[in-house]
Amino acid sequence: MMRAVKNLIASAALLLTVLAPSTNAASLVQITENFGPNPTKVGFYIYVPDVLAAKPAILVNPHWCHGTASAAYAGSQYATLAAKYGYIVIYPNSPNAADQCWDLSSSQTLTHDGGGDSQGIVSMVKWTIAKYNADASRVFVTGVSSGGMMTNVLIGSYPDVFAAGSAWAGVPFGCYAAPGNNSGVYGYWNSQCASGNVTHTPAEWKAIVQAAYPGYRGWRPKMQTFHGTSDETVNYVNFGEQVKEWTAVLGLSQTPVSTTLNTPLSGWTKTSYGPSGWFEAYSAAGVTHNIQVQADTVVAFFQLSCSAGCFSWGQGSPSGAVPPVSPLTTSTRLTTSIPVAISTTKISTSTASSTHSAVTATTTPATTVQSLYGQCGGIGYAGPTACAAAKCSSYNAYYSQCVPTAV
Ligand SMILES: *[C@@H]1O[C@H](CO)[C@@H](O)[C@H](O)[C@H]1NC(C)=O
Ligand SMILES: *[C@@H]1O[C@H](CO)[C@@H](O)[C@H](O)[C@H]1NC(C)=O
């Protein structure tokens, strides 16, 4: 762990040397002071541009599996756009040294103020609002893969903190919940969910999200999701499940009000739901898990380039009506943790072992070679164990994945 941290600092320092533009002294900085409840010890990195907007918005950008805060910083345009528009970017760093995937499986992370990685990330948001007089009603989250899954988790567990989310190649809130008693089960790789075998009705997904914050009747964030139809790591089924989940939570029809072809890229189809397009979904034809993030589309959805009359928490609602609740202040959000309830509705029945044996019966014969990011091992897995131009990396007893040799 210490060595990993040192390596991270070393690589961050190297990045600065190579990438920092001479006109902007701002860089990625690690916050090591106590910033609030952080039970799983998520690393806190932040990018604050030299010139901030008067009341800056905050963008949270959780990295992908095997990623780091510095890799997310270097590997996307969000910091460059932050320097242009004056918002702040928070780059959390996964504490899960085994594979750097996020905690998407514990009852803690899936419960409002319940603990887990999600609570540590929210503490970063609250610290940043206080420190930089940032706009508590303009906090956004976006990420790819495990970061897209964490986007769904944060939007579900903390609807009072985030104004909107943008999930790329992710899964619905609660889909990764570890089977059985998931209290304290951090970093579980839910291969059933990843392979598209965890499905629910819209009403069931809605109940799963509502169980994260029982009694919450307030305003819900708007949401967009992107997924490649040929995603070999996180099955495309999860795209449709997110559509079901968030339209149900927002009280919208599953039938889109509009469909736009070839946007923002050729072959990508955008569907909008509800009169105000509160939820939108982009299906990328033929695209694999290596989906190319369109930062401009995300920044436009969050209105991060805006300086007055911008989209914010509590503004508008799916039906276009004025929301019934006013934005919570920073102080009212700093409440003590509520007890972590074990909700049986969070645990998918389709993770039962009977489904599991059905899975193994349909996998590819072991003689073939698995492609990059495909599964290559784990309990109940009978597919190819050799990786093409990659190595087979074990995440846990249930899941091994072909990853690039140089990670
Ligand atoms: C679930 O697991 C936690 C941690 O191991 C334990 O404290 C708790 O009692 C368990 N709950 C149930 C309902 O078994
Ligand atoms: C369930 O998982 C198996 C193995 O990964 C896969 O072949 C099958 O298509 C999945 N089912 C669905 C509905 O995606």
Side-chain angles (χ1 to χ4, degrees), residues 13-303:
L14 184 67
L15 269 174
L16 298 184
T17 320
V18 178
L19 296 178
S22 53
T23 50
N24 193 344
S27 60
L28 189 67
V29 171
Q30 184 179 13
I31 305 300
T32 53
E33 68 180 72
N34 181 354
F35 54 86
N38 185 21
T40 56
K41 298 187 168 56
V42 180
F44 181 6
Y45 292 77
I46 192 169
Y47 176 79
V48 181
D50 289 345
V51 181
L52 276 176
K55 199 150 174 73
I58 297 172
L59 177 62
V60 179
N61 186 209
H63 57 72
W64 50 93
C65 285
H66 297 284
T68 58
S70 61
Y73 167 69
S76 76
Q77 294 175 266
Y78 295 119
T80 305
L81 292 166
K84 186 172 174 185
Y85 300 127
Y87 64 86
I88 296 168
V89 192
I90 292 172
Y91 297 98
N93 197 67
S94 168
N96 182 357
D99 59 14
Q100 291 287 118
C101 295
W102 291 106
D103 165 25
L104 315 154
S105 54
S106 71
S107 60
Q108 282 82 359
T109 205
L110 297 171
T111 303
H112 182 79
D113 284 346
D117 289 0
S118 64
Q119 190 179 31
I121 293 172
V122 165
S123 293
M124 296 171 197
V125 169
K126 291 170 177 171
W127 181 92
T128 303
I129 290 168
K131 170 97 176 175
Y132 293 100
N133 188 31
D135 191 343
S137 65
R138 297 185 69 217
V139 180
F140 306 100
V141 55
T142 187
V144 190
S145 191
S146 190
M149 301 178 190
M150 185 42 107
T151 297
N152 275 272
V153 166
L154 287 165
I155 292 295
S157 289
Y158 295 91
D160 57 332
V161 170
F162 294 91
S166 177
W168 294 68
V171 301
F173 175 94
C175 191
Y176 252 62
N181 180 356
N182 62 338
S183 175
V185 185
Y186 305 110
Y188 171 81
W189 181 269
N190 194 325
S191 57
Q192 289 295 311
C193 174
S195 61
N197 285 293
V198 176
T199 59
H200 288 289
T201 64
E204 285 168 352
W205 280 125
K206 181 180 178 180
I208 289 168
V209 172
Q210 287 182 329
Y213 194 174
Y216 180 73
R217 295 285 175 268
W219 188 89
R220 288 279 174 182
K222 69 175 185 176
M223 184 77 176
Q224 63 177 188
T225 188
F226 298 75
H227 218 111
T229 61
S230 301
D231 193 320
E232 71 287 27
T233 304
V234 179
N235 194 286
Y236 181 68
V237 162
N238 288 297
F239 176 73
E241 295 304 303
Q242 285 174 80
V243 172
K244 286 198 268 177
E245 179 170 80
W246 296 115
T247 52
V249 167
L250 293 165
L252 305 174
S253 165
Q254 276 186 75
T255 307
V257 294
S258 68
T259 300
T260 315
L261 302 180
N262 300 316
T263 186
L265 299 182
S266 175
W268 294 30
T269 302
K270 172 188 177 183
T271 44
S272 292
Y273 301 81
S276 53
W278 211 251
F279 178 76
E280 57 185 35
Y282 293 76
S283 176
V287 169
T288 65
H289 195 57
N290 187 25
I291 189 167
Q292 299 305 300
V293 170
Q294 306 300 306
D296 289 346
T297 304
V298 177
V299 164
F301 187 64
F302 296 161
Q303 293 188 12

